[in-house]
């Protein structure tokens, strides 16, 4: 998944999350099925954010030298 696909999916999930929260608010109480779907959306968003964070770390770390420690 390239960066633009990741960003598009994040936007799509955020919009879906917002719609679910509005739907839950209209009912006046948490609904189990909506809460389960919100958990799925939240999990996928967290995974996408983590993927982006790791990609940024890889671009900032010089290749071949990442996590190398010299022991004298």
């Amino acid at each position: 998944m390239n960066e633009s696909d990741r960003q598009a999916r994040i936007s799509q999930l955020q919009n879906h999350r917002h719609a679910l929260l509005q739907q839950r608010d209209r009912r006046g109480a948490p609904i189990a099925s909506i809460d389960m779907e919100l958990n799925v959306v939240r999990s996928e968003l967290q995974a996408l954010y983590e993927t982006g964070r790791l990609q940024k770390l890889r671009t900032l770390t010089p290749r071949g030298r990442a996590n190398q420690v010299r022991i004298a």
Side-chain angles (χ1 to χ4, degrees), residues 58-69:
R58 283 189 202 119
T59 59
L60 295 175
T61 306
R63 291 186 183 238
R65 299 195 60 130
N67 298 326
Q68 288 183 349
V69 176

Side-chain angles (χ1 to χ4, degrees), residues 32-70:
S33 61
I34 293 174
D35 286 343
M36 287 189 313
E37 193 168 352
L38 280 167
N39 284 335
V40 170
V41 169
R42 186 179 305 115
S43 294
E44 188 173 347
L45 278 169
Q46 286 174 335
L48 288 167
Y49 290 143
E50 181 66 12
T51 300
R53 189 182 72 77
L54 291 174
Q55 287 173 349
K56 285 180 185 176
L57 282 175
R58 283 189 202 119
T59 59
L60 295 175
T61 306
R63 291 186 183 238
R65 299 195 60 130
N67 298 326
Q68 288 183 349
V69 176
R70 275 211 161 161

Side-chain angles (χ1 to χ4, degrees), residues 15-30:
N15 289 337
H16 185 56
R17 181 179 177 274
H18 182 70
L20 287 169
L21 289 170
Q22 284 183 329
Q23 184 179 1
R24 188 177 72 176
D25 287 344
R26 278 194 301 269
R27 293 185 179 253

